[in-house]
Amino acid sequence: MNDCLFCKIAAGEIPSTKVYEDDAALAFRDIAPQAPVHVLVIPKKHIGGFSDIEGEDDAALAHLWRVAAAVAKSEGIAQSGFRVVSNCGKDAQQTVSHLHLHVLGGRALSGEMA
Ligand code: AMP
């Protein structure tokens, strides 16, 4: 999508600190981290958010979760524990309309949800 920040990051038009990339997914560090490890995992295909998921996205979404698990391992937080969050819509304070998983860890997390 032309005017989407995360599409531009996925296309390499806006820089990011990548921690994982393949044909379908990208993981990069959040610019305003809420925890010592705060990585965003996105599909390269534009999906606006959870409400926009369709049947054809099943494989891409399963892949996204597997990438999130792999990122937790590679970031060294799989044993200590981590949180995976996806905000959808206004009340959840989603600020970027491109589906993303927040992977948070590296400290004891309380009630905050990215
Ligand atoms: P959300 O509020 O759930 O939509 O999450 C969007 C996240 O994107 C926030 O945690 C922002 O800090 C993060 N973010 C915004 N712009 C960038 C960027 N250019 N690079 C990395 N993370 C970003």
Side-chain angles (χ1 to χ4, degrees):
M1 181 179 257
N2 278 347
D3 212 22
C4 169
L5 173 63
F6 286 177
C7 282
K8 288 180 179 168
I9 287 177
E13 293 166 13
I14 290 177
S16 67
T17 306
K18 295 177 188 176
V19 300
Y20 176 85
E21 182 170 22
D22 62 29
D23 287 348
L26 174 67
F28 55 99
R29 298 198 188 284
D30 196 292
I31 202 167
Q34 304 298 309
V37 175
H38 188 171
V39 173
L40 301 174
V41 184
I42 65 168
K44 287 193 171 173
K45 173 191 169 184
H46 183 83
I47 300 171
F50 253 77
S51 302
D52 301 302
I53 291 170
E54 303 202 349
E56 65 185 29
D57 301 320
D58 283 1
L61 291 172
H63 181 64
L64 211 61
W65 285 92
R66 191 164 66 73
V67 170
V71 164
K73 280 188 195 142
S74 65
E75 292 290 312
I77 55 172
Q79 293 303 319
S80 52
F82 61 97
R83 184 172 289 161
V84 181
V85 176
S86 188
N87 298 316
C88 183
K90 181 169 66 70
D91 282 357
Q93 299 185 39
Q94 180 181 7
T95 58
V96 178
S97 296
H98 182 125
L99 181 67
H100 50 283
L101 304 178
H102 296 259
V103 179
L104 296 147
R107 66 170 169 81
L109 300 165
S110 53
E112 83 278 13
M113 300 289 275

